[in-house]
Amino acid sequence: MSLLNDLSVETLMKHRAQSLNPIALAVLACVSLLTVPAQAQQGQQLEKVVVTGSNIKRLAAEQATPVQVIDRAQLANLGATNAGEVLREISANTAGSYNESAINNQSGAAGVSLRGLGQKSTLVLINGRRMANHAIAQNGQDTFVDLNAIPRSAIERIEVLKDGASAIYGSDAIAGVVNVVLRKNMQQVEVGASTGKATQGGLAEHSLNVAGGFSAGNFRALAVVDYFHRDMLLMSDRPWLNGLDFRFLPGGTFFPGASGGTWQRSAVFPAAQFPPGGFQLRRQAIPNCLGDSKSMDALIGAGVYSGTACTYTVDKYLTAFPDADRLGGMASATYDLGGGTELFAELGMSKNESSWINQPQTLTNQTVVFTPATGGFAAYSNIIPNIPAHAALFATNTLGGNGTTARFNTTFFDVGARTFALTTDTARLLVGARGHVGSWDWEAAVGSSRSEVVSTTGNQVDAQVLRGFINNGGYNFLAPTPEQTAALRVSTTRNANSRLHFADLKLSTVLGQLAGGDIGFAAGLEARRESMSSTPDELARQGRLLGTGSSQYAGSRRAEAAYAEVIAPFSKQFELQLAGRFDRYNDFGSAFSPKLGAKFTFNEQALLRASVAKGFRAPTLVENNNSSSLGFSSVTDPQRNNASTVVGVLLEGAKDLKAERSLSRSIGLVLQPVRDLSLAIDYYKIRQNDLVSTNGEQFIVRNPALFPGQVVRDPVTQTILVVKDRYTNLASIETEGLDLEAAARLPQTDIGRFTLRASATQQLGFVYRPKADAAEVDYAGRNDGPYGAMPRLKLRLGVDWRLDAWSAGLSLNHTGVYEQRNSTAAGTPASVDALTTVDLYLAYAFGANLKLSLNVKNLADTNPPWDTATGLGYASGQYDLRGRYLRAGLEFKF
C-alpha cells in the first residue's frame, strides 16, 4: 500500500468509497484500488472486516460504497475536541447541522446533517449499533444523537457513508450514516492533555484524558476517561460585531432593545406612507432610562417609528458559545471462550453540563403568555392603568392620552439576565457474543442506552404576580425595591429523557463462488423499543411565565426488522450488491427498503460504481404524538420594513403522519492512474417524499398567502404575536450534487514525505416544495430555504508532512458564496461572500512515548462574511465566532 500508508486499510477503502466532489483537486477515493497491489507486494496479510454500508465481511480494499474514514491521525491533525467539530468540517455536511452555540437553541449538544437534509435524516451509530437520541429535540422536532456524549479519546475512527442505507440499517439513514468506531485493543496506558484559547479573547478550553488496556489470558479490557472544560463566549466579546449595529455596512441595520423604559402608542398615518393603511408607532423615552439603556431617536424613520426610545445593545446578553464541562468514560471487555467464540461487553457514560445567558425578560406590546385552556399563546397587555399607585410612572408620559391609550415597554434589569443550565446524563450498555459455526459467522447482542436532561432557567418573571402589580400597584417600574424584584423572580426546571432498548442477531457466510470470487451473504434480525418524554415545569404549564415558551411530549414505540444482503462477483470485473430490509413499527406501520449496487473494474487503474436504493424515515416520537412546543424565534417582518422581531412560535405534533420515503441514486468513477495518486468522482441524487417538517416561521411570515391564519398579529400595532406551525407530511425535497475525493503521495525526499489531499462537494440543486400545491424552488446557493444558508461549494485541501520525529499538516477550508435572498433592505449586497481559512498542525515525538502538538485553527484570523439577513451579522448555521484558535497538547504513553 503506497498512497495512504498513514491511514488504516479500512481508512483507505472508505476514502475511496467516499463520494466524488467537484471543484477540488484531490483526496482519497481510489485509495482502495491503490492499496491492494501495494500490500500484496509487501506480503502483508489482509483481514476481512465489516465496514459501514455492508454487513458482509470482506477485504477493506474491495469495498465499493462511498465511505469516508477519519482515523485517529486525522482527528489529531484537525485539533478537534469532539466528534461534532470533526464532522462539521467534512464537505458533505452542507447545511442543517447544529453545533453547541446557544444561538442555535440546543446548547451543549451537537449533531450532524449530511447533504443538508437535517440531523434526523442522518443515522449515527456507535460500533455499528444505535444509541438513544438526545432527550431534547432540536428546534422542537429533530431527534439526533448527541456527538458530545462520545469521549473524544475513545474514538478509533469515524466512518461516514454518504449514500442511502435504509436497506442495511433501517430508518433515518436517508442522507447517510455516521459510524463512530471505538478503540478496542490497548496494551498500555496513555495520558493526554490540551489547552487552548482564541486570540481574539475568550473561549479558553482545557482537556484531560486517560486511556489504558491490558490482556490476561483469554481476557482483554480497555477503559477511557475524558474531561473537557470551555469558558463561555458572549457576542459582546467580539468587538468587530459593533454591538450588532451594522448600519455602517451595505444594507446593514440596527435593532437594539428598545424597552428600557419607553412609552408607545399607535396612530394611523396616510396610506401613501409605508405600510399602506398601516400604523405608525410613536415612542417616547422616559427621562431616566432604566438599567444601562439610553435615549435614542427613532431608528427606522417615520415609516414605522417616530420619537425616542430607551435603548440598549443586546450583544452582552447573547451567548455565542456556552460554558461547558464534560466528563465521559468508556470501557469494553472481551473473553475468548475458545473454539472461535468470544463474549464482549461495552459500557459508556457521560455527564455534560453547559450554561449560558440571554436577555432579561421584557414587557412590550409583543409579549405573550401561555394559555392552558387553548394550548397556545395570548397577548399580555402592557397597558398600565392610570391609578395613584402608578402616578410617578405616568408623570413621565408625554405622548398624550395620559392613560390607557399608551403602552409601556420595559425591561426587568432588576431581575437580571435570564440564566440557562443544561445537564445531560447518558449511559450505554451492551453485552453479546460472537463466533462461527461451520462456514457461518454470527453475532448477537442486547443493550440499552439513555439520555436524561435537566434544564433549569433562572431569572424569569412571574406573569401572574406582575399582572397583580400592574392592576393594583406594588411594583415601582422606575426604581423597584429588592423585595419587589424577589416577588417577580422565579426559576423553572424541565425534565426530559430518551431511552432505547434493543436486541439483535447477525449472520454471515459464503454461499458459494462465482467467476469473480466468493458470494457473500448476510442476514439479521433486530428488535428495539424507543421512548421519549419531556415535562415542563408546573409554572410553565400554568401559564405563569412571562414571554416564555415550553415544550412537552411523551411517546414510545416498538420496532422489529429483518434484513438480508448478497454480494455477487459475477466476474473479476463485475460485482452486484443486493440488499433488502423490512421494518415494522407499532405506530405508523411498515416499510420495505431495497438496494441495488454495482461495481465494474475496468483494470487496476479504473473502477465504476453505482447504486440505487429506496429508504424511509419513521416520524420521530416528537412529530407523531400530541406534542406541543412553544418557543420564540427572530424573524424579519416584510410588513414592517424587514424589521427584525422576536415572535412566538407554536409547533404541534400529529398522530396521522406517514413515514418519509426516499429514492437515492449515485454513480461514480474511481481512478488510480499511478501508484501514489487516486481520484474519485461521484454524482448523487436523493429525493424525499412525504417529508415530515414544519415550514419554518420565517418562511411562513414571508409567504402568508400559503399559510392563512398562521401568522397572528396584534390588531392595533400589527406586530407579530405568534406564528403557528404543525408537523405534516409536506411534498418533497430533492438534492443532487458532486463529490470529489483525491490523494497524492509524493516520493520520499531529504526534507520529508508529503501527502496531498482534497475533498469537495458541489451542490447542484436543493429543490424544496413546502406544500403539495406550492411551486418547487431550488434553494441551493441561497439563504432563504428551510435550512438557512446553503452554499453550493464546500472544499478542503490539505498537505501532510513527515520527517523523522516531526509531523505537520496544513489545510485550506473554503465555504462558497451564496445568494442573499432573505433581505431586501436598501443597499443589501446581492450575495454573501465566500470564506476561506487555513489551519495548521505541528507535532514532535520524543521517542515512542511522548508527543507534543500545536494546532492553529483559522491561521489568518478571518471573520465570517457579512450577512445582513441574520440580525447577527453572520450565518450562525455555517460559521461561528472562534476566530483564530490556538491549542497545545501532549500525549504520554507508558
Side-chain angles (χ1 to χ4, degrees), residues 488-748:
L488 283 181
R489 184 186 289 122
V490 292
S491 295
T492 59
T493 299
R494 172 190 179 190
N495 294 281
N497 71 76
S498 172
R499 283 177 164 75
L500 171 68
H501 310 287
F502 72 88
D504 62 41
L505 171 66
K506 304 176 182 181
L507 304 170
S508 63
T509 189
V510 174
L511 294 180
Q513 286 196 332
L514 293 172
D518 293 341
I519 303 172
F521 174 78
L525 300 172
E526 289 183 13
R528 66 180 186 271
R529 186 182 187 277
E530 308 167 344
S531 64
M532 285 189 73
S533 67
S534 173
T535 305
D537 192 274
E538 185 63 27
L539 289 176
R541 287 184 283 180
Q542 293 174 0
R544 293 275 300 275
L545 303 179
L546 186 70
T548 300
S550 67
S551 65
Q552 60 182 17
Y553 46 82
S556 64
R557 67 178 168 212
R558 300 184 311 275
E560 298 86 30
Y563 58 86
E565 177 187 0
V566 175
I567 293 180
F570 289 97
S571 70
K572 295 295 185 182
Q573 290 75 37
F574 182 63
E575 173 185 288
L576 278 182
Q577 177 194 29
L578 296 171
R581 179 178 172 119
F582 179 80
D583 288 85
R584 183 180 63 189
Y585 287 70
N586 72 321
D587 50 3
F588 84 88
S590 60
F592 177 70
S593 305
K595 179 176 182 178
L596 172 64
K599 180 180 74 171
F600 186 84
T601 304
F602 297 99
N603 49 45
E604 292 186 356
Q605 287 76 41
L607 175 152
L608 181 69
R609 62 187 177 206
S611 69
V612 58
K614 288 187 175 182
F616 80 102
R617 189 190 69 80
T620 69
L621 291 173
V622 178
E623 296 167 339
N624 74 342
N625 280 278
N626 292 323
S627 63
S628 64
S629 175
L630 296 165
F632 295 88
S633 181
S634 178
V635 300
T636 56
D637 187 355
Q639 291 192 26
R640 299 180 62 239
N641 200 29
N642 285 308
S644 179
T645 182
V646 176
V647 301
V649 180
L650 172 61
L651 303 178
E652 296 179 315
K655 279 187 168 293
D656 58 350
L657 293 174
K658 300 178 292 184
E660 296 176 3
R661 304 289 177 165
S662 69
L663 178 64
S664 304
R665 288 151 288 180
S666 68
I667 185 169
L669 181 66
V670 181
L671 301 173
Q672 184 200 343
V674 295
R675 174 177 172 178
D676 288 338
L677 172 65
S678 65
L679 172 70
I681 302 175
D682 290 271
Y683 167 81
Y684 69 87
K685 189 171 188 176
I686 304 172
R687 183 174 183 87
Q688 283 180 277
N689 292 317
D690 296 324
L691 184 70
V692 177
S693 180
T694 62
N695 288 284
E697 57 274 8
Q698 183 65 74
F699 191 83
I700 292 173
V701 168
R702 290 197 170 276
N703 300 274
L706 294 177
F707 308 99
Q710 292 184 224
V711 180
V712 181
R713 295 180 179 271
D714 185 293
V716 178
T717 66
Q718 290 300 297
T719 54
I720 299 173
L721 294 176
V722 180
V723 179
K724 297 181 179 180
D725 213 342
R726 182 178 183 272
Y727 303 124
T728 184
N729 289 103
L730 302 177
S732 66
I733 284 182
E734 184 171 272
T735 181
E736 60 180 326
L738 295 171
D739 288 333
L740 180 142
E741 297 291 332
R745 187 165 187 171
L746 305 183
Q748 181 71 42

Side-chain angles (χ1 to χ4, degrees), residues 341-549:
T341 302
E342 70 174 14
L343 305 177
F344 62 90
E346 298 175 9
L347 172 67
M349 302 184 72
S350 69
K351 186 181 187 68
N352 297 340
E353 298 177 338
S354 57
S355 60
W356 66 101
I357 65 171
N358 208 328
Q359 299 179 58
Q361 187 59 61
T362 61
L363 174 65
T364 73
N365 58 289
Q366 293 179 261
T367 301
V368 294
V369 291
F370 173 60
T371 304
T374 64
F377 283 117
Y380 189 92
S381 175
N382 65 334
I383 296 176
I384 310 297
N386 189 357
I387 59 177
H390 298 313
L393 179 62
F394 269 86
T396 66
N397 177 19
T398 61
L399 278 180
N402 198 37
T404 59
T405 57
R407 301 167 180 258
F408 186 65
N409 297 339
T410 189
T411 297
F412 296 97
F413 294 107
D414 55 317
V415 175
R418 283 172 290 171
T419 61
F420 301 85
L422 197 76
T423 300
T424 304
D425 289 292
T426 65
R428 175 179 176 269
L429 172 66
L430 71 86
V431 294
R434 63 173 66 95
H436 58 263
V437 177
S439 64
W440 289 85
D441 291 325
W442 61 270
E443 179 174 316
V446 294
S448 178
S449 63
R450 63 172 173 83
S451 168
E452 296 182 347
V453 174
V454 177
S455 177
T456 303
T457 305
N459 293 343
Q460 298 183 86
V461 172
D462 189 323
Q464 181 175 303
V465 173
L466 178 61
R467 178 52 60 198
F469 283 155
I470 291 175
N471 292 340
N472 306 309
Y475 180 80
N476 186 344
F477 284 91
L478 300 178
T481 66
E483 293 76 16
Q484 293 169 348
T485 297
L488 283 181
R489 184 186 289 122
V490 292
S491 295
T492 59
T493 299
R494 172 190 179 190
N495 294 281
N497 71 76
S498 172
R499 283 177 164 75
L500 171 68
H501 310 287
F502 72 88
D504 62 41
L505 171 66
K506 304 176 182 181
L507 304 170
S508 63
T509 189
V510 174
L511 294 180
Q513 286 196 332
L514 293 172
D518 293 341
I519 303 172
F521 174 78
L525 300 172
E526 289 183 13
R528 66 180 186 271
R529 186 182 187 277
E530 308 167 344
S531 64
M532 285 189 73
S533 67
S534 173
T535 305
D537 192 274
E538 185 63 27
L539 289 176
R541 287 184 283 180
Q542 293 174 0
R544 293 275 300 275
L545 303 179
L546 186 70
T548 300

Side-chain angles (χ1 to χ4, degrees), residues 9-10 39 44-50 57-61 184:
V9 176
E10 298 170 26
Q39 285 188 338
Q44 297 180 2
Q45 181 67 37
L46 295 180
E47 179 187 1
K48 290 191 174 184
V49 294
V50 174
K57 289 184 177 181
R58 61 201 315 226
L59 295 180
K184 60 182 179 181

Side-chain angles (χ1 to χ4, degrees), residues 265-283:
R265 64 179 296 189
S266 303
V268 177
F269 59 86
Q273 298 184 31
F274 171 82
F279 295 84
Q280 182 187 54
L281 301 180
R282 297 174 57 199
R283 289 175 168 176

